[in-house]
Amino acid sequence: MAPSTKSAKGKQAKVTHKFIINASQPASDKIFDVSAFEKFLQDKIKVDGRVGNLGDIVQIKNLGDGKIEVTAHTQFSGRYLKYLTKKFLKKQQLRDWLRVVSTSKGVYELRFFNVVNDADEEDD
């Protein structure tokens, strides 16, 4: 039998996950709108299979300086947050220039793709 998150009395164990999405680099270049992204997350994150069901279970805070913190008091996947971030970038047509990179556990960063100039190759 697999271990469960329930305690001996049958109540759900307290689980808290904290994630930070760092978009300071594209936000400082005025490409990325952090407040629109925060609103997108509030509208799209599903809790118990329903959109707009955040309540006290999931909190989304804008930390300023292009950082957003998502705190979940339930099972919550960082990959789901990465998926929603990619979805937002696609909607804003920024997916060709930005990518989502996990820098450490629970921390995601939006970075520009490394574009190498092909000028020296054209001289041949």
Side-chain angles (χ1 to χ4, degrees), residues 19 42 45 54-61 69-73:
F19 300 97
Q42 287 177 346
I45 288 180
L54 297 182
D56 293 336
I57 298 171
V58 178
Q59 286 102 23
I60 302 169
K61 284 193 298 191
E69 180 183 65
V70 178
T71 307
H73 299 294

Side-chain angles (χ1 to χ4, degrees), residues 16-120:
T16 301
H17 298 283
K18 216 176 215 179
F19 300 97
I20 294 178
I21 301 172
N22 183 358
S24 55
Q25 190 179 12
S28 65
D29 290 345
K30 309 242 185 304
I31 293 176
F32 190 80
D33 187 7
V34 179
S35 58
F37 179 56
E38 181 184 10
K39 172 95 172 80
F40 176 83
L41 287 177
Q42 287 177 346
D43 293 344
K44 295 290 181 176
I45 288 180
K46 287 185 179 181
V47 177
D48 296 330
R50 297 182 61 206
V51 174
N53 191 21
L54 297 182
D56 293 336
I57 298 171
V58 178
Q59 286 102 23
I60 302 169
K61 284 193 298 191
N62 190 344
L63 299 177
D65 197 35
K67 293 183 181 177
I68 290 183
E69 180 183 65
V70 178
T71 307
H73 299 294
T74 183
Q75 285 298 98
F76 198 81
S77 169
R79 293 185 80 79
Y80 179 56
L81 212 52
K82 186 175 180 177
Y83 161 76
L84 287 174
T85 306
K86 287 178 171 183
K87 195 169 181 172
F88 179 77
L89 291 175
K90 181 75 173 172
K91 185 178 174 188
Q92 300 294 319
Q93 298 173 344
L94 295 172
R95 193 80 174 90
D96 295 335
W97 292 282
L98 294 173
R99 63 187 183 139
V100 185
V101 179
S102 176
T103 54
S104 65
K105 185 175 171 74
V107 178
Y108 293 93
E109 188 175 324
L110 294 179
R111 291 187 181 166
F112 289 102
F113 280 110
N114 293 334
V115 179
V116 180
N117 287 340
D118 296 332
D120 32 278

